[in-house]
């Protein structure tokens, strides 16, 4: 364990490497104001392909920033108990299947699973046909500065989803949790940061943090290898290196950690060479509220044994 990383003692105090832009808070305050100025035009459409007797499955469509119509799956129980769970999928991965949402719905929880824009390729008839750009999302828009970063818009999509689900009449807005693995783990924390009313977040080896540290480890694995590819294509002499990492700092989850008011459980495999442990500790060490770190010394970016069941039980207990 820890064969390529900092020692356990170093990890416990590690504060991250990637620079935090001076106007970071102002940037996100402005971004949230931008989102608030866009009419969501939310539409819940019954999913005729997945009929249920104890709940209703629906497709949710809403307006995000950048002129994008965003999609999510929602299951609304016939006998709601108040809580809601927001789920986020992995990088370029498939959205949860309807059946993946059912365990929470069985408890009377409303469940929503976001389609990350441009990854799953779920389109409405009014948009372009299905197209996939499953990679390079991390550096997408980097040339144009922080406002054009794709993940700026994805981060705001998590806030809009939270607002729409929390506003449903059957949902107790004070009893909402977020969860996800990898990219989903990062977005579950982003959602909690941009929606400080979120009560609990269960995040498994979060992606989208401490980019410079991940790059400096030079593990030559996706997804952080996109940064190296960007330098090879755009800045082979690294004349813009400081600018690049400062720009990525606007979408670095570790810098959003201080905004999180939710209780957080973080699951980390100490042999993770996809989302290195130090990048995850950079988030964890900046969390100021109630938190717990669950480590797996011999596992990496794997299906952590028991974690799915534990998260289900934790969310039930916390909400």
């Amino acid at each position: 364990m820890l064969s390529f990383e900092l020692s356990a003692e170093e990890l416990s105090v590690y504060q991250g490497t990637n620079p935090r832009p001076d106007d970071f808070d102002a940037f996100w305050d402005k971004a949230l104001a931008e989102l608030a100025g866009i009419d969501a035009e939310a539409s819940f459409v019954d999913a005729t392909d997945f009929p249920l007797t104890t709940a209703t499955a629906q497709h949710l469509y809403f307006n995000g920033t950048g002129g994008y119509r965003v999609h999510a799956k929602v299951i609304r129980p016939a006998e709601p108990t108040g809580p809601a769970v927001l789920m986020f999928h992995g990088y370029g991965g498939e959205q949860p299947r309807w059946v993946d949402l059912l365990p929470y719905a069985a408890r009377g929880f409303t469940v929503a699973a976001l389609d990350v824009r441009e990854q799953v390729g779920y389109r409405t008839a009014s948009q372009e046909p299905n197209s996939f750009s499953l990679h390079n999302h991390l550096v997408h828009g980097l040339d144009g500065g922080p406002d054009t970063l794709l993940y700026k818009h994805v981060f705001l999509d998590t806030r809009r989803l939270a607002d729409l689900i929390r506003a449903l009449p059957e949902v107790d807005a004070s009893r909402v949790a977020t969860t996800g693995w990898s990219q989903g783990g990062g977005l579950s924390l982003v959602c909690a940061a941009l929606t400080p009313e979120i009560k609990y977040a269960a995040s498994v080896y979060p992606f989208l943090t401490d980019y410079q540290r991940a790059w400096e480890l030079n593990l030559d694995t996706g997804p952080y290898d996109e940064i190296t590819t960007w330098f090879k294509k755009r800045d082979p002499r690294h004349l813009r290196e400081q600018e690049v990492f400062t720009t990525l700092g606007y979408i670095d989850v570790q810098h959003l950690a201080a905004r999180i008011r939710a209780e957080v459980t973080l699951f980390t495999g100490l042999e993770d060479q996809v989302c290195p442990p130090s990048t995850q500790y950079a988030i964890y060490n900046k969390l100021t509220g109630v938190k717990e770190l669950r480590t797996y010394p011999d596992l990496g970016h794997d299906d952590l044994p028991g974690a799915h069941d534990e998260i289900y039980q934790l969310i039930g207990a916390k909400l």
Side-chain angles (χ1 to χ4, degrees):
M1 60 182 176
L2 294 175
S3 59
F4 66 98
E5 259 288 13
L6 302 173
S7 69
E9 293 75 20
E10 290 170 322
L11 287 173
S12 70
V13 296
Y14 177 66
Q15 293 295 309
T17 300
N18 202 93
R20 183 182 190 273
D22 293 337
D23 63 341
F24 180 86
D25 286 323
F27 174 84
W28 280 107
D29 289 342
K30 180 182 177 183
L32 289 169
E34 174 190 356
L35 178 68
I38 298 172
D39 189 344
E41 296 184 19
S43 174
F44 289 85
V45 181
D46 287 355
T48 57
D49 58 323
F50 197 72
L52 295 168
T53 57
T54 59
T56 301
Q58 295 182 317
H59 294 286
L60 167 61
Y61 303 95
F62 61 85
N63 291 336
T65 51
Y68 201 92
R69 191 76 172 159
V70 185
H71 172 260
K73 286 180 176 177
V74 180
I75 291 186
R76 302 170 69 173
E79 297 183 5
T81 56
V85 180
L86 309 179
M87 302 174 66
F88 302 98
H89 64 76
Y91 188 45
E94 294 183 0
Q95 181 194 70
R97 298 174 293 268
W98 287 114
V99 294
D100 296 329
L101 280 60
L102 289 180
Y104 292 103
R107 302 180 87 146
F109 292 10
T110 301
V111 195
L114 181 72
D115 255 344
V116 175
R117 58 169 77 191
E118 299 298 330
Q119 289 185 12
V120 177
Y122 193 106
R123 305 284 185 168
T124 62
S126 64
Q127 294 176 316
E128 296 178 5
N130 285 2
S131 61
F132 294 86
S133 53
L134 297 182
H135 301 292
N136 302 317
H137 284 192
L138 176 56
V139 294
H140 185 93
L142 184 57
D143 283 309
D147 279 315
T148 62
L149 290 168
L150 176 64
Y151 271 114
K152 172 200 170 184
H153 301 289
V154 173
F155 284 14
L156 291 172
D157 291 343
T158 72
R159 167 59 189 264
R160 174 134 286 176
L161 178 67
D163 286 347
L164 292 170
I165 298 303
R166 292 179 67 243
L168 292 175
E170 67 268 27
V171 171
D172 180 343
S174 67
R175 299 167 66 196
V176 178
T178 64
T179 190
W181 295 50
S182 195
Q183 174 184 253
L187 294 181
S188 67
L189 295 174
V190 167
C191 186
L194 299 183
T195 317
E197 297 84 2
I198 295 295
K199 185 175 183 181
Y200 177 70
S203 173
V204 183
Y205 41 62
F207 171 43
L208 300 169
T209 185
D210 207 5
Y211 303 109
Q212 188 167 352
R213 168 64 180 170
W215 173 73
E216 288 176 351
L217 280 170
N218 195 31
L219 298 173
D220 197 30
T221 59
Y224 288 113
D225 62 345
E226 293 178 19
I227 299 171
T228 299
T229 301
W230 189 92
F231 276 123
K232 289 178 179 178
K233 299 293 184 180
R234 291 285 196 268
D235 184 23
R237 294 178 58 203
H238 286 235
L239 301 178
R240 298 170 56 192
E241 184 175 311
Q242 182 176 357
E243 171 196 341
V244 165
F245 287 113
T246 299
T247 300
L248 289 174
Y250 288 98
I251 55 166
D252 190 331
V253 181
Q254 67 169 317
H255 300 324
L256 285 168
R259 289 182 173 231
I260 296 175
R261 298 292 175 263
E263 180 177 346
V264 176
T265 305
L266 189 67
F267 296 74
T268 300
L270 295 180
E271 286 293 343
D272 193 337
Q273 297 190 38
V274 176
C275 296
S278 55
T279 68
Q280 300 175 51
Y281 274 81
I283 301 171
Y284 186 77
N285 293 337
K286 289 184 173 69
L287 293 171
T288 59
V290 178
K291 60 184 179 180
E292 179 188 2
L293 180 65
R294 299 190 177 193
T295 58
Y296 298 73
D298 303 310
L299 293 167
H301 212 72
D302 302 304
D303 187 5
L304 304 180
H308 284 286
D309 290 343
E310 289 177 11
I311 289 170
Y312 180 73
Q313 296 295 341
L314 282 167
I315 288 177
K318 303 298 182 181
L319 299 186

